[in-house]
Amino acid sequence: MEELRALRARGITKSFGDVVALDGIDLDVTQGRIHGLVGPNGAGKTTLLGLLLGLAVADSGRLEVLGTPVERALDAPDGVAGFVDGPALYPSLTPRQNLAALAALRGHDARTAGIDDVLAEVGLTDVADDRTRGFSLGMRQRLGLAAALLTKPRLLVLDEPSNGLDPAGKKHVHGVLSRLAADGTAVVLSSHNMDDLEALCSEVTILAAGRVVFSGPLSKLATENRELDYRLLTSDPQAARRLADDAPGIQVVDDPGVRQDAGLLVVRALMPALDQLVVRLVERGVALRELTPMVSPLEAAFLALTEQQEADR
Ligand SMILES: Nc1ncnc2c1ncn2[C@@H]1O[C@H](COP(=O)(O)OP(=O)(O)OP(=O)(O)O)[C@@H](O)[C@H]1O
């Protein structure tokens, strides 16, 4: 079955005076996927999300959202909703009144706009009639998400939606986004939190200094040609060390953060060399008890790619 494209960007540039925020960005997002944008501070994530929401226009390049080319107008393309830099809310109004005002602005009848449903969906029913002023960041984020859901978007654009959420709130919001994606909505979100991205996204784009340094499935990042450090715990640490020292493509790393007396070994390797080492260990009767990357593949890739880009500047 052909996958429907929610978003296609080619050669997008955007500058603010002398500052080049986006420098030839290509991006593809398919319907029903959650796509993560990650990058150091100032990499251009918010600028890019703002273009998708029609808050600014690109200086050059082609942008197609939900099958329609985005021209130079400042307006959210039909079917797109979300927020950057935190949701815009009226602090003197309650969540219910905020959503009713938004529905009215769009020419909808507040009674039939589904306000109760979206408040329940984001877990704000209990505070639906409290004033928004004084809401925590996490509650405002949830209300911003409710406002976006009210439009039944086919492309949802969120700038750091997990900011300020406690673990339960995060889990709740992740559930909402995953359900939306399962129903066919494309979600593009930025985050600095690798755990969130790994939990939520099937694909990521890494930006550094306004450029794409990686874009694709998370699984590809994990197997990309990059050495990672792994913790290795076996039934016979001495034998494991001897085998690791002799194994081609394996470097034993003396990591001060790892307790040697606990029998742990840290090895740096590409996946095929690591596979070979595991086979050798088992052949020699050394049982494998734990084998985990020291940092997640996404975090390792993020650090390697963005540091390289910074060095090249
Ligand atoms: N309105 C603006 N006027 C001037 N410069 C801007 C403006 N918006 C963004 N920039 C600059 O463009 C670059 C990209 O900023 P952007 O906010 O898109 O980065 P980001 O990846 O979202 O960063 P962060 O992770 O800190 O939120 C930065 O150098 C920033 O200072």
Side-chain angles (χ1 to χ4, degrees):
M1 196 175 73
E2 198 197 338
E3 293 189 311
L4 291 173
R5 194 187 295 132
L7 171 62
R8 182 173 198 266
R10 288 294 176 273
I12 296 289
T13 67
K14 179 76 184 170
S15 296
F16 299 99
D18 292 341
V19 176
V20 181
L22 300 175
D23 189 6
I25 298 288
D26 293 346
L27 181 66
D28 290 285
V29 179
T30 308
Q31 286 288 357
R33 296 277 168 81
I34 304 181
H35 192 106
L37 268 190
V38 60
N41 292 128
K45 304 178 293 295
T46 305
T47 304
L48 181 57
L49 296 178
L51 297 182
L52 306 183
L53 286 167
L55 300 173
V57 288
D59 297 336
S60 62
R62 279 176 294 132
L63 180 60
E64 201 182 286
V65 172
L66 299 169
T68 307
V70 173
E71 304 298 347
R72 313 209 63 73
L74 277 178
D75 195 13
D78 271 352
V80 182
F83 55 84
V84 295
D85 292 329
L89 305 166
Y90 297 107
S92 58
L93 301 185
T94 67
R96 199 188 299 283
Q97 289 167 336
N98 261 288
L99 297 181
L102 275 173
L105 275 174
R106 294 189 193 109
H108 297 149
D109 183 340
R111 286 164 303 181
T112 55
I115 290 173
D116 285 338
D117 293 344
V118 294
L119 284 169
E121 176 109 41
V122 302
L124 286 183
T125 303
D126 290 350
V127 293
D129 297 310
D130 295 351
R131 280 203 198 294
T132 310
R133 177 177 291 123
F135 268 23
S136 67
L137 173 60
M139 286 160 86
R140 280 185 276 129
Q141 295 275 51
R142 286 178 190 228
L143 185 50
L145 179 58
L149 295 183
L150 210 53
T151 68
K152 302 194 170 36
R154 284 179 291 141
L155 173 61
L156 182 62
V157 176
L158 300 170
D159 196 12
E160 302 189 36
S162 300
N163 259 7
L165 290 174
D166 60 31
K170 203 177 272 190
K171 192 164 169 233
H172 189 113
V173 167
H174 283 192
V176 173
L177 298 182
S178 300
R179 276 196 296 281
L180 279 174
D183 288 344
T185 300
V187 182
V188 181
L189 56 88
S190 71
S191 178
H192 285 296
N193 187 317
M194 304 292 162
D195 292 341
D196 281 353
L197 290 165
E198 278 174 295
L200 261 180
C201 303
S202 49
E203 47 198 34
V204 291
T205 291
I206 301 180
L207 292 183
R211 296 200 176 151
V212 173
V213 292
F214 173 87
S215 192
L218 269 170
S219 54
K220 189 163 168 249
L221 259 187
T223 54
E224 196 91 316
N225 223 4
R226 185 172 299 109
E227 287 188 325
L228 290 181
D229 288 356
Y230 296 87
R231 287 157 53 96
L232 183 66
L233 182 64
T234 61
S235 57
D236 185 344
Q238 278 87 29
R241 174 148 201 150
R242 277 196 304 278
L243 284 168
D245 278 336
D246 291 345
I250 299 279
Q251 186 191 342
V252 177
V253 181
D254 286 314
D255 189 310
V258 170
R259 279 182 50 211
Q260 304 294 325
D261 59 352
L264 274 170
L265 204 60
V266 178
V267 292
R268 183 168 299 159
L270 289 171
M271 194 63 84
L274 193 69
D275 289 345
Q276 284 301 316
L277 176 62
V278 171
V279 171
R280 280 176 167 222
L281 287 166
V282 174
E283 277 172 358
R284 303 290 166 91
V286 180
L288 192 64
R289 293 181 176 165
E290 185 186 319
L291 180 58
T292 43
M294 300 283 285
V295 296
S296 74
L298 177 58
E299 193 162 347
F302 173 79
L303 291 171
L305 291 166
T306 54
E307 278 164 11
Q308 185 60 48
Q309 180 76 10
E310 292 294 318
D312 292 347
R313 283 180 98 185

